[in-house]
Amino acid sequence: MTDTTTEATVVVSGAAVLLPGADTVRALADGPAPGAAPVEPADHVGRKGLRYKDRATQLGYALTAAALRDAGLLGEDGLTVPAETTGIVASSNFGNLDTVARALDTIREETVTATSPMDLPNASSNVIASSAAIRYGLRGPNLMVCNGETSGLDAVHWAATMIAAGRADRFLVLGVEPDNEVVRRLLGGSRSVDGGAALVLEARAAATRRSATVRAVLGAYRRAADETHRPAGHWELPAHLGSASGAHGVLQVAAAVGWFDAGRREPVRAVAGGAHHDAGAGLLLLAPEAA
C-alpha cells in the first residue's frame, strides 16, 4: 500500500476538457449530453502539424494548448515561463494502438521495408508525451504512463511527486484515449471516450509568484489493492461516452475543478481501479482555499 500527501504544496492552476458534448470543466462536471459530434482537433489548434499524427496525439495537442492557456502559460509567442520549468506526464493505454497494429500487420504480410516512415515514429509508446512537449516547448521532465485503470491518477501523482522533489515548477498532465476500430476490438466491441482532459499542476509557491489562480489543491494520494470505495463526491464518466481508461483519473480531477469553479467547497475524492482490478488508486482534492 502507498499513502502519500503533497501537504497542500501542489495546486491545479489550469484545466481543459475535450469530449463529445463537453469542452469545459463545468460542462464535464455537469455531465456531457449524449449524441454530440466527435471532437475535431484542427478546430482548436489548426491543421498545421497534424498530418501523419495519430488521433490521440492530435487530441493531446489540443488539450495541451487549452490547459496551458487556461493557466496563463501560453501566449502568442509560446510559453510565458522558462521552458525548463515545465514538464509533462501523459497517460493513455490505447493511444497509438492502431498505429502499432497497422505496422505489425504490414510487417507480417510483407516485410519491415514496407512500413511507412511516417508511421514508425508514432509506434513509440511515449509519442503523446514527447510530441506535445516538442510542439509546445516543454523542456522539463517527460513521462508516459500506460498501466491500466489507475494510469490517470498515477500520472497526476507522479507529476506532483516530481514537483515536490524540485524537478520542475509545474507539469502538464494529459489523459487521452482515442476511439477507433482497433481499440473497440480490444474492448470487445465497446467504444472508447475519444477525448480526454489536461491539467496544469504547479508548486504553490510558483503559482503565487506569477499570481496564478488556484483552481484546486491536491491532498493525500493512496494506492492499494483494496482502494475500491466510491464515496460521496465521486465523479464518474457518463456511460454513453465509453471507456475512459488512461484518461479516467485526469478527467475526474478536471471534473472536481469544474465543481470548485461552480462554488462547491467540500473535498472530492477521485478513485480509479480497485474492485475487479489488481490495484486501486485514490486522490483527495480540496477547494482552492485549502491551506
Side-chain angles (χ1 to χ4, degrees), residues 41-232:
D43 291 344
H44 300 270
V45 294
R47 297 193 176 279
K48 185 177 181 180
L50 298 190
R51 191 177 184 187
Y52 302 124
K53 296 299 183 182
D54 58 68
R55 180 160 177 78
T57 297
Q58 293 183 9
L59 290 165
Y61 283 163
L63 284 163
T64 298
L68 290 175
R69 287 196 186 97
D70 188 60
L73 294 171
L74 188 64
E76 292 296 325
D77 298 322
L79 283 180
T80 60
V81 292
E84 65 274 10
T85 67
T86 307
I88 182 169
V89 183
S91 171
S92 182
N93 293 315
F94 312 133
N96 65 341
L97 184 61
D98 56 338
T99 300
V100 173
R102 184 167 58 249
L104 290 175
D105 287 345
T106 300
I107 294 171
R108 184 182 65 251
E109 295 168 5
E110 302 179 54
T111 67
V112 69
T113 58
T115 56
S116 166
M118 298 295 103
D119 253 358
L120 290 183
N122 296 331
S124 172
S125 62
N126 75 330
V127 63
I128 300 171
S130 59
S131 295
I134 292 169
R135 183 174 177 115
Y136 295 104
L138 312 182
R139 299 186 182 276
N142 186 292
L143 179 65
M144 185 77 199
V145 185
C146 43
N147 64 317
E149 293 297 318
T150 65
S151 183
L153 286 185
D154 290 341
V156 174
H157 169 64
W158 281 115
T161 298
M162 287 189 279
I163 291 171
R167 296 293 304 277
D169 288 341
R170 61 194 61 83
F171 275 81
L172 188 288
V173 181
L174 174 64
V176 62
E177 295 290 9
D179 183 53
N180 55 53
E181 181 182 347
V182 177
V183 172
R184 291 190 184 194
R185 190 158 65 241
L186 179 69
L187 294 176
S190 299
R191 63 170 300 172
S192 181
V193 70
D194 203 38
L199 310 164
V200 174
L201 303 189
E202 195 160 6
R204 183 186 280 276
T208 299
R209 282 196 300 271
R210 65 183 192 89
S211 300
T213 299
V214 172
R215 310 284 289 284
V217 179
L218 269 61
Y221 167 86
R222 171 186 164 95
R223 201 175 197 283
D226 62 349
E227 184 65 46
T228 61
H229 179 51
R230 299 298 194 265

